[in-house]
Amino acid sequence: MHMLVNKFQYIKLSRDTLDGSRVYITPDGKKIASVTTILDKTKSAETIDSLKQWRKRVGESQALQITTEASSRGTRMHTYLENYINGQSLKDTVSNPYANQSLVMAKKVIEQGFGKIDEIWGTEVSLYYPGIYAGTTDCVGLHQGQETILDFKQTNKPKKQEWIQDYFLQLVAYALAHNSLYKTNIQRGVILMCSKPDEITTNNWSDPTYQEFLIEGTDFNFWANRWWDRVEEYYRNF
């Protein structure tokens, strides 16, 4: 595994919480809103209502359990992928069934998605657009020979493209920040997504579904415009 190329001197930004929302502290000491905070605060009324209806349908305790498990599963999957990128071999299996689920997912992403990645410049990269927003992208590098923002996502079930618009907004936000800080010209983003497998028998897992979503060219420009609309809405209202 020799993907990692230290092309840029990435700086790790500190995070803080301000009025209950995540902010990043930039090198000049300013606290600026995170990408996820901006997206969360500017959700459409339709999206908010849809989430409320889902919580009502499954019940608050079940909804909390589902979201907590999904978050933990995603965090573990990210850790396995980061370890692999950093040159560590992944185990065949682990004893914790929840961790093993994430391990199966990480291996699927590697098997199906990593063949298109030529080199990686950094993982868990802190980025900011000076004075406006900041965030952390999973991965930056070359994908099919082109400089690209890469994001790893877990999902409970396969997604349709129209369901993941905020993921596209994250990609363009990170690309624009990287371009501003490091004088790159990234106009491409890829989501490498894996749905959770089921345990058929002890430590025997179903094959998870891998999905890949690419934005570039006119699609990238479209989502970049939508991102700036959300940023403007955030600063107008909050």
Side-chain angles (χ1 to χ4, degrees), residues 5-57:
V5 177
N6 294 316
K7 187 170 182 176
F8 301 99
Q9 294 297 311
Y10 291 122
I11 300 166
K12 195 78 174 173
L13 299 182
S14 299
R15 301 183 205 181
D16 201 356
T17 303
L18 187 65
D19 299 327
S21 297
R22 178 186 290 177
V23 292
Y24 283 80
I25 304 168
T26 52
D28 58 7
K30 289 182 179 176
K31 293 184 177 182
I32 54 177
S34 71
V35 171
T36 49
T37 292
I38 291 171
L39 291 174
D40 187 57
K41 295 284 190 182
T42 59
K43 277 192 181 97
S44 68
E46 182 186 13
T47 300
I48 293 168
D49 184 59
S50 175
L51 284 168
K52 280 182 182 174
Q53 293 302 323
W54 173 73
R55 286 183 172 276
K56 191 175 176 182
R57 193 165 62 249

Side-chain angles (χ1 to χ4, degrees), residues 1-219:
M1 184 67 198
H2 301 290
M3 286 185 176
L4 208 51
V5 177
N6 294 316
K7 187 170 182 176
F8 301 99
Q9 294 297 311
Y10 291 122
I11 300 166
K12 195 78 174 173
L13 299 182
S14 299
R15 301 183 205 181
D16 201 356
T17 303
L18 187 65
D19 299 327
S21 297
R22 178 186 290 177
V23 292
Y24 283 80
I25 304 168
T26 52
D28 58 7
K30 289 182 179 176
K31 293 184 177 182
I32 54 177
S34 71
V35 171
T36 49
T37 292
I38 291 171
L39 291 174
D40 187 57
K41 295 284 190 182
T42 59
K43 277 192 181 97
S44 68
E46 182 186 13
T47 300
I48 293 168
D49 184 59
S50 175
L51 284 168
K52 280 182 182 174
Q53 293 302 323
W54 173 73
R55 286 183 172 276
K56 191 175 176 182
R57 193 165 62 249
V58 301
E60 280 299 325
S61 60
Q62 180 71 359
L64 180 62
Q65 183 180 341
I66 290 169
T67 53
T68 302
E69 285 180 3
S71 176
S72 299
R73 188 165 49 245
T75 299
R76 285 189 294 262
M77 186 186 86
H78 277 76
T79 300
Y80 286 128
L81 290 170
E82 192 176 354
N83 290 345
Y84 181 81
I85 289 166
N86 287 319
Q88 295 183 29
S89 297
L90 298 184
K91 295 179 179 178
D92 290 334
T93 186
V94 288
S95 56
N96 179 337
Y98 294 104
N100 208 51
Q101 201 175 45
S102 300
L103 178 62
V104 170
M105 293 166 72
K107 287 179 176 177
K108 188 71 172 182
V109 171
I110 292 165
E111 174 196 323
Q112 296 286 314
F114 273 38
K116 298 176 186 176
I117 302 173
D118 307 296
E119 62 184 42
I120 289 171
W121 303 335
T123 60
E124 289 296 302
V125 177
S126 297
L127 296 168
Y128 65 100
Y129 199 99
I132 302 178
Y133 66 85
T136 304
T137 185
D138 294 336
C139 214
V140 189
L142 292 179
H143 180 272
Q144 294 184 310
Q146 299 182 66
E147 49 188 19
T148 305
I149 297 291
L150 300 152
D151 240 16
F152 309 132
K153 299 291 186 187
Q154 81 83 37
T155 179
N156 289 342
K157 59 182 181 179
K159 291 279 194 286
K160 293 181 180 177
Q161 188 155 319
E162 56 266 31
W163 298 348
I164 57 168
Q165 296 185 357
D166 277 9
Y167 292 170
F168 298 148
L169 295 173
Q170 285 179 337
L171 291 175
V172 298
Y174 299 143
L176 296 169
H178 197 285
N179 293 343
S180 174
L181 290 174
Y182 299 103
K183 311 307 175 195
T184 47
N185 187 31
I186 302 173
Q187 297 185 50
R188 198 167 183 275
V190 176
I191 294 163
L192 295 82
M193 180 183 287
C194 192
S195 60
K196 73 180 180 73
D198 297 315
E199 191 171 22
I200 303 162
T201 57
T202 304
N203 274 342
N204 180 26
W205 300 83
S206 66
D207 194 32
T209 301
Y210 174 78
Q211 293 176 280
E212 199 168 283
F213 300 91
L214 165 70
I215 56 167
E216 60 183 346
T218 53
D219 278 346

